[in-house]
Amino acid sequence: MTAQTLNHEKSPRRLTVEDCDGRLRELLALHFHSDHGSEYWLRRQARLGWDVCDRVRTLDDLWLLGLTPPSDLRQAPLHAFLPRVFHRQWPRFVIGETAGTSGAPLR
C-alpha cells in the first residue's frame, strides 16, 4: 500500500446509535442463548429473574444489568464468559488477565 493509495481510500463510516443498539442486541442474543450462550451470563440472568434480551434493547438500557462484581471476575473461569458456541475454538482466542493494583487477577 502506498501513500497515494491511502489518500484514495474511503474513511470509515461513523456508526449510528441504531447501529450500536443493533450490535448490542446481536451480542446479547449470543451470550444469553439458552443452548450456546455464556455460562456466566446465563447464571447472571437467572439471578436477575428476568429475560435480559427482552429488557435490554439499547445501550441506554445496559444499566439494568448492574455492575459486574469483581468477585465474579476473579472466581469464574475464563471459559464461563465465552459463549459455548465458541468453546471448540478456544485455542484461537487471545486471553489475558490483569489485576492492575487491586489484587487478585480479573478476567
Side-chain angles (χ1 to χ4, degrees):
M1 188 173 292
T2 66
Q4 184 177 4
T5 305
L6 288 172
N7 290 334
H8 294 289
E9 289 183 3
K10 290 183 179 179
S11 61
R13 181 177 71 90
R14 292 185 62 97
L15 294 175
T16 65
V17 170
E18 291 79 18
D19 293 332
C20 294
D21 289 343
R23 182 67 177 140
L24 172 66
R25 286 189 295 275
E26 290 172 7
L27 291 171
L28 291 174
L30 175 64
H31 282 272
F32 290 95
H33 190 278
S34 60
D35 294 329
H36 58 257
S38 159
E39 178 185 328
Y40 172 79
W41 286 107
L42 288 169
R43 276 195 326 258
R44 182 94 179 263
Q45 178 175 249
R47 285 193 311 251
L48 289 169
W50 44 269
D51 187 317
V52 170
C53 292
D54 284 345
R55 289 199 191 173
V56 180
R57 306 293 298 158
T58 69
L59 294 172
D60 289 336
D61 298 333
L62 280 174
W63 69 271
L64 294 167
L65 293 174
L67 298 175
T68 302
S71 60
D72 286 0
L73 297 172
R74 288 188 175 103
Q75 296 169 359
L78 288 173
H79 71 273
F81 296 97
L82 185 70
R84 286 176 272 197
V85 71
F86 295 121
H87 282 197
R88 283 194 229 160
Q89 298 175 36
W90 183 258
R92 297 180 63 198
F93 288 88
V94 177
I95 306 294
E97 293 181 321
T98 182
T101 59
S102 67
L106 300 174
R107 291 157 176 87

